[in-house]
Amino acid sequence: GQQVMQIPQYQHVQEGEDFTTYCNSSTTLSNIQWYKQRPGGHPVFLIQLVKSGEVKKQKRLTFQFGEAKKNSSLHITATQTTDVGTYFCAGHGNNFNKFYFGSGTKLNVKP
Amino acid sequence: AAGVIQSPRHLIKEKRETATLKCYPIPRHDTVYWYQQGPGQDPQFLISFYEKMQSDKGSIPDRFSAQQFSDYHSELNMSSLELGDSALYFCASTRSGAVNTEAFFGQGTRLTVV
């Protein structure tokens, strides 16, 4: 079945360093969404990418959707302690009733 | 704006007991997903419903069942609870037919089996 994997599973960075998490799907996705889950909280929607090769930016966050619509990345420039949390990618398969979550990357930022 | 409501927020049950978790989606959302998130783990897809019919099934144990009602709320019924069922259970809702709609998550029900 469809699988969405993320790497790395954990990332520890010093405040001010950059961070990137990668998301890969076994099959083509109709869209890619990114969520952030703070410790003890629930996943909160960050952004959605739809087009092949699409790139979107939110302040220090840059999101990219691969040309084949099977992979995506989230890059954070100059991390801050407020960036701590787990970042999940997710997407719909060709059947929009199927919504797949990535395995998540847990980011820890040391001040 | 109304969000996804889950109840109860916390639940403590003993082994072999049953539990019912409820999820009220955002108005006009017709698709509900259930996820189980163990400590330090990513959410594992359990089951989803679209228009009151089961649309997809993930790693849901046979001891669990779920349904979506005419008002689109959903209930996850868990029987013969085991210690390993202790987890945070999220539901999420989306609106199908609206291509590329985001999923809204409830705050989750934390189930502790003792």
Side-chain angles (χ1 to χ4, degrees):
Chain A
Q2 175 107 31
Q3 283 190 331
V4 180
M5 304 299 293
Q6 273 182 261
I7 55 171
Q9 189 175 4
Y10 301 99
Q11 185 79 61
H12 300 271
V13 299
Q14 199 71 39
E15 189 172 23
E17 292 182 336
D18 292 354
F19 159 76
T20 304
T21 173
Y22 300 90
C23 176
N24 283 282
S25 169
S26 57
T27 58
T28 302
L29 296 170
S30 296
N31 60 6
I32 195 80
Q33 298 175 352
W34 286 91
Y35 293 80
K36 178 182 179 181
Q37 184 177 22
R38 294 181 186 274
H42 60 283
V44 174
F45 176 81
L46 292 177
I47 206 164
Q48 174 175 266
L49 303 169
V50 176
K51 300 176 184 175
S52 169
E54 187 172 9
V55 177
K56 287 188 176 181
K57 291 191 175 185
Q58 283 182 350
K59 297 182 180 178
R60 295 177 294 104
L61 278 61
T62 302
F63 305 84
Q64 186 169 8
F65 200 8
E67 294 291 339
K69 301 182 77 172
K70 295 176 70 174
N71 63 295
S72 180
S73 65
L74 158 59
H75 179 81
I76 303 179
T77 303
T79 55
Q80 300 175 359
T81 54
T82 53
D83 295 327
V84 166
T86 302
Y87 292 85
F88 294 98
C89 64
H92 286 93
N94 289 328
N95 178 348
F96 277 92
N97 289 336
K98 295 179 183 288
F99 186 66
Y100 302 97
F101 249 83
S103 44
T105 296
K106 190 171 183 178
L107 172 65
N108 187 39
V109 180
K110 292 176 285 187
Chain B
V4 176
I5 306 296
Q6 286 188 249
S7 67
R9 291 290 309 278
H10 302 274
L11 190 59
I12 299 175
K13 290 284 185 178
E14 295 187 354
K15 284 194 303 182
R16 293 179 289 277
E17 284 192 318
T18 61
T20 298
L21 278 54
K22 297 184 179 183
C23 170
Y24 296 87
I26 287 176
R28 293 186 296 281
H29 280 196
D30 52 14
T31 305
V32 170
Y33 308 85
W34 283 98
Y35 293 89
Q36 177 192 57
Q37 187 175 31
Q41 298 179 5
D42 57 291
Q44 294 295 312
F45 171 68
L46 293 178
I47 196 167
S48 64
F49 292 89
Y50 164 65
E51 281 292 343
K52 293 152 280 185
M53 299 287 288
Q54 180 182 307
S55 57
D56 196 12
K57 196 170 182 179
S59 53
I60 184 169
D62 292 340
R63 300 177 288 108
F64 295 6
S65 64
Q67 56 182 326
Q68 186 180 33
F69 295 86
S70 57
D71 63 351
Y72 295 104
H73 94 272
S74 179
E75 294 183 5
L76 178 65
N77 299 295
M78 310 159 73
S79 62
S80 302
L81 288 170
E82 301 172 358
L83 295 178
D85 296 329
S86 296
L88 193 55
Y89 290 83
F90 288 111
C91 81
S93 74
T94 63
R95 182 165 58 96
S96 69
V99 173
N100 303 319
T101 182
E102 70 185 80
F104 289 86
F105 284 81
Q107 293 192 322
T109 294
R110 185 169 295 281
L111 172 67
T112 303
V113 181
V114 297

